[in-house]
Tab-separated table of all heavy atoms in Angstrom:
chain	number	residue	atom	x	y	z
L	154	ALA	N	16.176	15.020	8.875
L	154	ALA	CA	15.306	14.325	9.814
L	154	ALA	C	15.343	14.961	11.198
L	154	ALA	O	16.423	15.247	11.718
L	154	ALA	CB	15.718	12.862	9.923
L	155	PRO	N	14.176	15.169	11.839
L	155	PRO	CA	14.169	15.446	13.278
L	155	PRO	C	14.557	14.153	13.988
L	155	PRO	O	13.869	13.141	13.873
L	155	PRO	CB	12.718	15.843	13.558
L	155	PRO	CG	12.122	16.167	12.202
L	155	PRO	CD	12.832	15.266	11.240
L	156	LEU	N	15.653	14.159	14.718
L	156	LEU	CA	16.305	12.916	15.091
L	156	LEU	C	16.678	12.878	16.568
L	156	LEU	O	17.222	13.838	17.110
L	156	LEU	CB	17.581	12.762	14.246
L	156	LEU	CG	18.502	11.577	14.506
L	156	LEU	CD1	17.808	10.266	14.184
L	156	LEU	CD2	19.776	11.723	13.668
L	157	VAL	N	16.378	11.741	17.196
L	157	VAL	CA	16.955	11.421	18.497
L	157	VAL	C	17.989	10.325	18.257
L	157	VAL	O	17.627	9.173	18.000
L	157	VAL	CB	15.906	10.929	19.508
L	157	VAL	CG1	16.593	10.604	20.841
L	157	VAL	CG2	14.823	11.968	19.732
L	158	PRO	N	19.274	10.651	18.295
L	158	PRO	CA	20.310	9.645	18.067
L	158	PRO	C	20.647	8.921	19.372
L	158	PRO	O	21.207	9.508	20.292
L	158	PRO	CB	21.492	10.477	17.556
L	158	PRO	CG	21.287	11.838	18.143
L	158	PRO	CD	19.832	12.003	18.446
L	159	LEU	N	20.290	7.653	19.453
L	159	LEU	CA	20.414	6.880	20.679
L	159	LEU	C	21.615	5.944	20.561
L	159	LEU	O	21.673	5.108	19.661
L	159	LEU	CB	19.129	6.086	20.914
L	159	LEU	CG	18.874	5.498	22.292
L	159	LEU	CD1	18.861	6.580	23.359
L	159	LEU	CD2	17.552	4.743	22.296
L	160	ALA	N	22.568	6.070	21.457
L	160	ALA	CA	23.836	5.352	21.352
L	160	ALA	C	23.669	3.858	21.613
L	160	ALA	O	23.312	3.439	22.709
L	160	ALA	CB	24.842	5.935	22.334
L	161	VAL	N	23.910	3.055	20.576
L	161	VAL	CA	23.969	1.598	20.694
L	161	VAL	C	25.028	1.148	19.695
L	161	VAL	O	24.713	0.654	18.617
L	161	VAL	CB	22.626	0.910	20.383
L	161	VAL	CG1	22.747	-0.595	20.614
L	161	VAL	CG2	21.504	1.468	21.236
L	162	GLY	N	26.299	1.354	20.017
L	162	GLY	CA	27.356	1.022	19.063
L	162	GLY	C	28.716	1.086	19.711
L	162	GLY	O	28.834	1.132	20.936
L	163	THR	N	29.760	1.094	18.874
L	163	THR	CA	31.127	1.119	19.392
L	163	THR	C	31.558	2.552	19.662
L	163	THR	O	31.772	2.947	20.803
L	163	THR	CB	32.093	0.471	18.385
L	163	THR	OG1	31.610	-0.811	18.047
L	163	THR	CG2	33.476	0.336	18.998
L	164	ASN	N	31.704	3.339	18.615
L	164	ASN	CA	32.068	4.744	18.768
L	164	ASN	C	30.803	5.579	18.738
L	164	ASN	O	30.126	5.664	17.713
L	164	ASN	CB	33.017	5.165	17.646
L	164	ASN	CG	34.429	4.660	17.895
L	164	ASN	OD1	34.658	3.942	18.850
L	164	ASN	ND2	35.346	5.024	17.031
L	165	ASN	N	30.504	6.184	19.868
L	165	ASN	CA	29.264	6.949	19.995
L	165	ASN	C	29.580	8.411	20.243
L	165	ASN	O	29.405	8.920	21.347
L	165	ASN	CB	28.407	6.377	21.126
L	165	ASN	CG	27.963	4.955	20.872
L	165	ASN	OD1	27.439	4.658	19.802
L	165	ASN	ND2	28.174	4.083	21.825
L	166	VAL	N	30.081	9.082	19.213
L	166	VAL	CA	30.375	10.509	19.312
L	166	VAL	C	29.116	11.314	19.018
L	166	VAL	O	28.763	12.226	19.762
L	166	VAL	CB	31.506	10.909	18.341
L	166	VAL	CG1	31.717	12.418	18.347
L	166	VAL	CG2	32.798	10.194	18.711
L	167	PHE	N	28.416	10.972	17.939
L	167	PHE	CA	27.226	11.725	17.556
L	167	PHE	C	26.009	11.379	18.412
L	167	PHE	O	25.317	12.278	18.883
L	167	PHE	CB	26.913	11.493	16.077
L	167	PHE	CG	25.817	12.377	15.560
L	167	PHE	CD1	26.078	13.674	15.140
L	167	PHE	CD2	24.506	11.924	15.497
L	167	PHE	CE1	25.070	14.507	14.679
L	167	PHE	CE2	23.480	12.739	15.031
L	167	PHE	CZ	23.765	14.036	14.617
L	168	PRO	N	25.711	10.099	18.644
L	168	PRO	CA	24.527	9.781	19.446
L	168	PRO	C	24.775	9.968	20.935
L	168	PRO	O	25.912	10.106	21.385
L	168	PRO	CB	24.266	8.300	19.122
L	168	PRO	CG	25.603	7.759	18.779
L	168	PRO	CD	26.356	8.881	18.106
L	169	PHE	N	23.667	9.958	21.698
L	169	PHE	CA	23.726	10.216	23.131
L	169	PHE	C	23.374	8.956	23.924
L	169	PHE	O	22.605	8.111	23.474
L	169	PHE	CB	22.744	11.328	23.512
L	169	PHE	CG	22.949	12.610	22.768
L	169	PHE	CD1	22.004	13.070	21.860
L	169	PHE	CD2	24.097	13.365	22.959
L	169	PHE	CE1	22.189	14.254	21.179
L	169	PHE	CE2	24.298	14.554	22.268
L	169	PHE	CZ	23.337	15.002	21.376
L	170	GLN	N	23.927	8.878	25.134
L	170	GLN	CA	23.534	7.833	26.080
L	170	GLN	C	22.274	8.308	26.786
L	170	GLN	O	22.318	9.153	27.666
L	170	GLN	CB	24.664	7.600	27.097
L	170	GLN	CG	25.953	7.088	26.502
L	170	GLN	CD	25.880	5.623	26.103
L	170	GLN	OE1	24.919	4.934	26.419
L	170	GLN	NE2	26.881	5.147	25.394
L	171	LEU	N	21.143	7.776	26.361
L	171	LEU	CA	19.848	8.198	26.888
L	171	LEU	C	19.000	6.971	27.200
L	171	LEU	O	19.162	5.924	26.583
L	171	LEU	CB	19.097	9.055	25.857
L	171	LEU	CG	19.697	10.399	25.463
L	171	LEU	CD1	19.004	10.924	24.215
L	171	LEU	CD2	19.540	11.388	26.605
L	172	GLU	N	18.089	7.122	28.128
L	172	GLU	CA	17.104	6.079	28.357
L	172	GLU	C	16.115	6.096	27.192
L	172	GLU	O	15.572	7.142	26.826
L	172	GLU	CB	16.381	6.312	29.689
L	172	GLU	CG	15.115	5.519	29.905
L	172	GLU	CD	15.245	4.020	29.610
L	172	GLU	OE1	16.282	3.428	29.938
L	172	GLU	OE2	14.292	3.466	29.028
L	173	ALA	N	15.883	4.940	26.600
L	173	ALA	CA	15.049	4.849	25.402
L	173	ALA	C	13.614	5.301	25.651
L	173	ALA	O	12.942	5.790	24.732
L	173	ALA	CB	15.059	3.418	24.869
L	174	THR	N	13.139	5.153	26.869
L	174	THR	CA	11.758	5.566	27.180
L	174	THR	C	11.573	7.058	26.937
L	174	THR	O	10.614	7.475	26.278
L	174	THR	CB	11.429	5.225	28.646
L	174	THR	OG1	11.761	3.871	28.913
L	174	THR	CG2	9.950	5.454	28.923
L	175	VAL	N	12.483	7.879	27.477
L	175	VAL	CA	12.334	9.318	27.300
L	175	VAL	C	12.765	9.752	25.901
L	175	VAL	O	12.277	10.767	25.383
L	175	VAL	CB	13.101	10.111	28.376
L	175	VAL	CG1	12.479	9.897	29.727
L	175	VAL	CG2	14.575	9.735	28.402
L	176	ALA	N	13.672	8.997	25.274
L	176	ALA	CA	14.029	9.291	23.882
L	176	ALA	C	12.806	9.140	22.996
L	176	ALA	O	12.516	9.986	22.131
L	176	ALA	CB	15.140	8.348	23.411
L	177	GLY	N	12.058	8.042	23.189
L	177	GLY	CA	10.831	7.848	22.429
L	177	GLY	C	9.803	8.913	22.728
L	177	GLY	O	9.113	9.416	21.828
L	178	PHE	N	9.673	9.281	24.011
L	178	PHE	CA	8.721	10.326	24.395
L	178	PHE	C	9.033	11.630	23.677
L	178	PHE	O	8.127	12.296	23.150
L	178	PHE	CB	8.754	10.534	25.909
L	178	PHE	CG	7.722	11.502	26.425
L	178	PHE	CD1	6.566	11.047	27.024
L	178	PHE	CD2	7.913	12.877	26.320
L	178	PHE	CE1	5.607	11.939	27.512
L	178	PHE	CE2	6.968	13.779	26.791
L	178	PHE	CZ	5.814	13.309	27.390
L	179	ALA	N	10.309	12.021	23.661
L	179	ALA	CA	10.693	13.272	23.009
L	179	ALA	C	10.363	13.249	21.524
L	179	ALA	O	9.868	14.236	20.963
L	179	ALA	CB	12.185	13.528	23.219
L	180	ALA	N	10.632	12.119	20.863
L	180	ALA	CA	10.304	11.999	19.449
L	180	ALA	C	8.800	12.094	19.242
L	180	ALA	O	8.319	12.739	18.294
L	180	ALA	CB	10.845	10.682	18.895
L	181	GLY	N	8.030	11.434	20.113
L	181	GLY	CA	6.572	11.506	20.007
L	181	GLY	C	6.053	12.911	20.234
L	181	GLY	O	5.103	13.352	19.573
L	182	ALA	N	6.672	13.649	21.163
L	182	ALA	CA	6.251	15.023	21.429
L	182	ALA	C	6.490	15.919	20.223
L	182	ALA	O	5.658	16.771	19.883
L	182	ALA	CB	6.990	15.556	22.652
L	183	VAL	N	7.632	15.731	19.537
L	183	VAL	CA	7.916	16.515	18.338
L	183	VAL	C	6.985	16.130	17.202
L	183	VAL	O	6.417	16.986	16.516
L	183	VAL	CB	9.395	16.339	17.928
L	183	VAL	CG1	9.650	16.907	16.533
L	183	VAL	CG2	10.311	17.012	18.944
L	184	ALA	N	6.799	14.825	16.997
L	184	ALA	CA	5.954	14.364	15.895
L	184	ALA	C	4.511	14.826	16.055
L	184	ALA	O	3.824	15.120	15.066
L	184	ALA	CB	6.013	12.843	15.803
L	185	SER	N	4.043	14.896	17.288
L	185	SER	CA	2.646	15.270	17.545
L	185	SER	C	2.432	16.770	17.647
L	185	SER	O	1.291	17.237	17.683
L	185	SER	CB	2.176	14.611	18.844
L	185	SER	OG	2.919	15.107	19.954
L	186	GLY	N	3.507	17.532	17.715
L	186	GLY	CA	3.393	18.969	17.869
L	186	GLY	C	3.290	19.421	19.308
L	186	GLY	O	3.156	20.616	19.572
L	187	HIS	N	3.372	18.491	20.272
L	187	HIS	CA	3.366	18.883	21.679
L	187	HIS	C	4.647	19.615	22.051
L	187	HIS	O	4.693	20.318	23.065
L	187	HIS	CB	3.180	17.647	22.560
L	187	HIS	CG	1.828	17.019	22.420
L	187	HIS	ND1	1.616	15.667	22.576
L	187	HIS	CD2	0.621	17.543	22.111
L	187	HIS	CE1	0.338	15.394	22.378
L	187	HIS	NE2	-0.286	16.525	22.096
L	188	ALA	N	5.677	19.425	21.270
L	188	ALA	CA	6.916	20.196	21.399
L	188	ALA	C	7.220	20.804	20.037
L	188	ALA	O	7.154	20.106	19.017
L	188	ALA	CB	8.068	19.311	21.864
L	189	ASP	N	7.506	22.103	20.011
L	189	ASP	CA	7.775	22.808	18.761
L	189	ASP	C	9.168	22.439	18.249
L	189	ASP	O	10.174	22.656	18.935
L	189	ASP	CB	7.698	24.316	19.007
L	189	ASP	CG	7.776	25.132	17.712
L	189	ASP	OD1	8.314	24.615	16.704
L	189	ASP	OD2	7.307	26.282	17.717
L	190	THR	N	9.217	21.885	17.026
L	190	THR	CA	10.485	21.445	16.454
L	190	THR	C	11.511	22.577	16.440
L	190	THR	O	12.690	22.368	16.755
L	190	THR	CB	10.281	20.919	15.026
L	190	THR	OG1	9.324	19.861	15.054
L	190	THR	CG2	11.577	20.403	14.435
L	191	ALA	N	11.084	23.774	16.087
L	191	ALA	CA	12.015	24.897	15.993
L	191	ALA	C	12.618	25.253	17.343
L	191	ALA	O	13.736	25.775	17.415
L	191	ALA	CB	11.307	26.115	15.404
L	192	GLU	N	11.906	24.964	18.420
L	192	GLU	CA	12.364	25.351	19.751
L	192	GLU	C	13.199	24.273	20.434
L	192	GLU	O	14.005	24.581	21.316
L	192	GLU	CB	11.164	25.704	20.639
L	192	GLU	CG	10.409	26.943	20.184
L	192	GLU	CD	9.235	27.259	21.085
L	192	GLU	OE1	8.999	26.490	22.056
L	192	GLU	OE2	8.547	28.273	20.835
L	193	VAL	N	13.020	23.013	20.053
L	193	VAL	CA	13.668	21.930	20.803
L	193	VAL	C	14.680	21.151	19.965
L	193	VAL	O	15.135	20.088	20.377
L	193	VAL	CB	12.626	20.968	21.407
L	193	VAL	CG1	11.672	21.720	22.319
L	193	VAL	CG2	11.863	20.215	20.320
L	194	THR	N	15.033	21.669	18.791
L	194	THR	CA	16.036	20.991	17.973
L	194	THR	C	17.175	21.941	17.615
L	194	THR	O	17.007	23.163	17.596
L	194	THR	CB	15.448	20.438	16.665
L	194	THR	OG1	15.017	21.522	15.830
L	194	THR	CG2	14.291	19.494	16.927
L	195	THR	N	18.320	21.352	17.336
L	195	THR	CA	19.478	22.081	16.824
L	195	THR	C	19.939	21.378	15.563
L	195	THR	O	20.110	20.152	15.571
L	195	THR	CB	20.625	22.096	17.843
L	195	THR	OG1	20.177	22.715	19.057
L	195	THR	CG2	21.824	22.851	17.297
L	196	GLN	N	20.129	22.121	14.485
L	196	GLN	CA	20.569	21.485	13.249
L	196	GLN	C	22.040	21.111	13.358
L	196	GLN	O	22.898	21.940	13.641
L	196	GLN	CB	20.341	22.387	12.044
L	196	GLN	CG	20.516	21.655	10.717
L	196	GLN	CD	19.946	22.395	9.535
L	196	GLN	OE1	19.786	23.617	9.567
L	196	GLN	NE2	19.640	21.664	8.476
L	197	ALA	N	22.304	19.839	13.155
L	197	ALA	CA	23.657	19.313	13.268
L	197	ALA	C	24.484	19.677	12.042
L	197	ALA	O	23.953	19.941	10.959
L	197	ALA	CB	23.627	17.798	13.437
L	198	LYS	N	25.789	19.642	12.231
L	198	LYS	CA	26.697	19.764	11.091
L	198	LYS	C	26.707	18.452	10.313
L	198	LYS	O	26.325	17.398	10.812
L	198	LYS	CB	28.101	20.100	11.583
L	198	LYS	CG	28.219	21.459	12.226
L	198	LYS	CD	29.625	21.740	12.706
L	198	LYS	CE	29.929	21.067	14.028
L	198	LYS	NZ	31.220	21.510	14.608
L	199	ILE	N	27.154	18.541	9.078
L	199	ILE	CA	27.274	17.359	8.233
L	199	ILE	C	28.486	17.538	7.333
L	199	ILE	O	28.846	18.678	6.990
L	199	ILE	CB	25.983	17.141	7.413
L	199	ILE	CG1	25.901	15.714	6.869
L	199	ILE	CG2	25.840	18.183	6.310
L	199	ILE	CD1	24.505	15.331	6.370
L	200	ILE	N	29.136	16.455	6.989
L	200	ILE	CA	30.306	16.514	6.115
L	200	ILE	C	29.923	15.921	4.769
L	200	ILE	O	29.540	14.748	4.688
L	200	ILE	CB	31.489	15.732	6.706
L	200	ILE	CG1	31.776	16.191	8.139
L	200	ILE	CG2	32.733	15.908	5.844
L	200	ILE	CD1	32.841	15.364	8.847
L	201	ASP	N	30.009	16.719	3.724
L	201	ASP	CA	29.712	16.246	2.373
L	201	ASP	C	31.002	15.794	1.700
L	201	ASP	O	32.025	16.483	1.744
L	201	ASP	CB	29.060	17.361	1.554
L	201	ASP	CG	27.630	17.634	1.999
L	201	ASP	OD1	26.809	16.708	1.927
L	201	ASP	OD2	27.348	18.763	2.433
L	202	VAL	N	30.929	14.628	1.078
L	202	VAL	CA	32.090	14.025	0.426
L	202	VAL	C	31.759	13.798	-1.040
L	202	VAL	O	30.830	13.054	-1.363
L	202	VAL	CB	32.468	12.683	1.085
L	202	VAL	CG1	33.717	12.096	0.428
L	202	VAL	CG2	32.682	12.867	2.582
L	203	THR	N	32.508	14.454	-1.924
L	203	THR	CA	32.290	14.330	-3.361
L	203	THR	C	33.580	13.862	-4.023
L	203	THR	O	34.606	14.535	-3.949
L	203	THR	CB	31.856	15.672	-3.972
L	203	THR	OG1	30.703	16.158	-3.290
L	203	THR	CG2	31.527	15.506	-5.452
L	204	VAL	N	33.514	12.697	-4.651
L	204	VAL	CA	34.675	12.160	-5.346
L	204	VAL	C	34.796	12.836	-6.700
L	204	VAL	O	33.794	12.985	-7.422
L	204	VAL	CB	34.556	10.634	-5.516
L	204	VAL	CG1	35.747	10.080	-6.284
L	204	VAL	CG2	34.441	9.967	-4.151
L	205	GLU	N	36.002	13.262	-7.044
L	205	GLU	CA	36.222	13.953	-8.303
L	205	GLU	C	35.769	13.084	-9.473
L	205	GLU	O	36.117	11.906	-9.564
L	205	GLU	CB	37.702	14.305	-8.450
L	205	GLU	CG	38.183	15.304	-7.416
L	205	GLU	CD	39.686	15.511	-7.455
L	205	GLU	OE1	40.349	14.841	-8.272
L	205	GLU	OE2	40.196	16.336	-6.668
L	206	GLY	N	34.960	13.673	-10.339
L	206	GLY	CA	34.477	12.965	-11.507
L	206	GLY	C	33.258	12.108	-11.270
L	206	GLY	O	32.762	11.449	-12.184
L	207	SER	N	32.740	12.097	-10.038
L	207	SER	CA	31.567	11.281	-9.717
L	207	SER	C	30.374	12.179	-9.448
L	207	SER	O	30.496	13.241	-8.841
L	207	SER	CB	31.840	10.415	-8.486
L	207	SER	OG	30.671	9.745	-8.078
L	208	ARG	N	29.211	11.722	-9.887
L	208	ARG	CA	27.987	12.479	-9.643
L	208	ARG	C	27.391	12.169	-8.274
L	208	ARG	O	26.549	12.901	-7.778
L	208	ARG	CB	26.957	12.171	-10.731
L	208	ARG	CG	27.366	12.649	-12.121
L	208	ARG	CD	26.257	12.360	-13.129
L	208	ARG	NE	26.617	12.829	-14.464
L	208	ARG	CZ	25.829	12.688	-15.534
L	208	ARG	NH1	24.656	12.074	-15.406
L	208	ARG	NH2	26.220	13.141	-16.709
L	209	SER	N	27.791	11.077	-7.698
L	209	SER	CA	27.249	10.679	-6.398
L	209	SER	C	28.040	11.328	-5.277
L	209	SER	O	29.189	11.734	-5.452
L	209	SER	CB	27.278	9.157	-6.245
L	209	SER	OG	28.611	8.687	-6.295
L	210	ALA	N	27.418	11.424	-4.121
L	210	ALA	CA	28.065	12.025	-2.967
L	210	ALA	C	27.696	11.222	-1.728
L	210	ALA	O	26.663	10.569	-1.676
L	210	ALA	CB	27.650	13.481	-2.803
L	211	GLU	N	28.570	11.273	-0.736
L	211	GLU	CA	28.327	10.615	0.542
L	211	GLU	C	28.379	11.671	1.632
L	211	GLU	O	28.826	12.806	1.413
L	211	GLU	CB	29.382	9.533	0.808
L	211	GLU	CG	29.330	8.358	-0.141
L	211	GLU	CD	28.217	7.375	0.206
L	211	GLU	OE1	27.586	7.545	1.272
L	211	GLU	OE2	27.996	6.435	-0.579
L	212	VAL	N	27.932	11.294	2.822
L	212	VAL	CA	27.973	12.217	3.952
L	212	VAL	C	28.547	11.506	5.170
L	212	VAL	O	28.573	10.277	5.249
L	212	VAL	CB	26.579	12.784	4.295
L	212	VAL	CG1	25.970	13.480	3.090
L	212	VAL	CG2	25.647	11.692	4.835
L	213	ALA	N	29.005	12.308	6.123
L	213	ALA	CA	29.406	11.831	7.441
L	213	ALA	C	28.934	12.863	8.458
L	213	ALA	O	28.667	14.018	8.104
L	213	ALA	CB	30.916	11.635	7.519
L	214	LEU	N	28.828	12.443	9.701
L	214	LEU	CA	28.376	13.339	10.757
L	214	LEU	C	29.484	13.719	11.730
L	214	LEU	O	29.422	14.768	12.350
L	214	LEU	CB	27.218	12.698	11.538
L	214	LEU	CG	25.926	12.500	10.747
L	214	LEU	CD1	24.931	11.692	11.572
L	214	LEU	CD2	25.323	13.842	10.349
L	215	VAL	N	30.497	12.870	11.857
L	215	VAL	CA	31.573	13.123	12.813
L	215	VAL	C	32.878	13.393	12.098
L	215	VAL	O	33.471	14.464	12.247
L	215	VAL	CB	31.734	11.936	13.787
L	215	VAL	CG1	32.896	12.200	14.748
L	215	VAL	CG2	30.449	11.712	14.563
L	216	ASP	N	33.371	12.416	11.308
L	216	ASP	CA	34.668	12.604	10.680
L	216	ASP	C	34.796	11.797	9.397
L	216	ASP	O	34.092	10.808	9.185
L	216	ASP	CB	35.817	12.240	11.640
L	216	ASP	CG	35.677	10.849	12.243
L	216	ASP	OD1	35.371	9.901	11.508
L	216	ASP	OD2	35.878	10.713	13.467
L	217	VAL	N	35.689	12.263	8.550
L	217	VAL	CA	36.095	11.561	7.331
L	217	VAL	C	37.604	11.408	7.405
L	217	VAL	O	38.314	12.376	7.672
L	217	VAL	CB	35.696	12.346	6.066
L	217	VAL	CG1	36.254	11.668	4.810
L	217	VAL	CG2	34.182	12.487	5.974
L	218	CYS	N	38.093	10.191	7.194
L	218	CYS	CA	39.527	9.931	7.314
L	218	CYS	C	40.053	9.278	6.052
L	218	CYS	O	39.353	8.484	5.413
L	218	CYS	CB	39.809	9.013	8.505
L	218	CYS	SG	39.206	9.669	10.074
L	219	LEU	N	41.285	9.594	5.711
L	219	LEU	CA	41.987	8.924	4.620
L	219	LEU	C	42.885	7.859	5.222
L	219	LEU	O	43.736	8.148	6.066
L	219	LEU	CB	42.811	9.924	3.812
L	219	LEU	CG	43.636	9.323	2.664
L	219	LEU	CD1	42.725	8.719	1.604
L	219	LEU	CD2	44.527	10.393	2.042
L	220	VAL	N	42.672	6.615	4.790
L	220	VAL	CA	43.414	5.469	5.296
L	220	VAL	C	44.215	4.884	4.147
L	220	VAL	O	43.654	4.622	3.068
L	220	VAL	CB	42.465	4.408	5.884
L	220	VAL	CG1	43.245	3.204	6.394
L	220	VAL	CG2	41.623	5.021	7.000
L	221	ARG	N	45.490	4.675	4.341
L	221	ARG	CA	46.325	4.098	3.294
L	221	ARG	C	46.001	2.613	3.130
L	221	ARG	O	45.818	1.903	4.111
L	221	ARG	CB	47.800	4.283	3.623
L	221	ARG	CG	48.219	5.744	3.676
L	221	ARG	CD	47.871	6.495	2.394
L	221	ARG	NE	48.185	7.915	2.460
L	221	ARG	CZ	47.822	8.799	1.532
L	221	ARG	NH1	47.126	8.403	0.480
L	221	ARG	NH2	48.148	10.077	1.654
Side-chain angles (χ1 to χ4, degrees):
L156 176 65
V157 180
L159 196 58
V161 184
T163 307
N164 283 4
N165 297 310
V166 174
F167 188 83
F169 304 113
Q170 297 286 351
L171 295 166
E172 166 49 39
T174 309
V175 293
F178 185 101
V183 168
S185 64
H187 293 149
D189 188 337
T190 303
E192 294 180 359
V193 302
T194 66
T195 301
Q196 192 164 23
K198 294 180 281 189
I199 198 165
I200 307 174
D201 288 300
V202 182
T203 305
V204 178
E205 295 173 358
S207 173
R208 294 183 179 179
S209 62
E211 294 281 352
V212 303
L214 294 172
V215 178
D216 53 45
V217 174
C218 302
L219 178 64
V220 179
R221 297 305 176 189

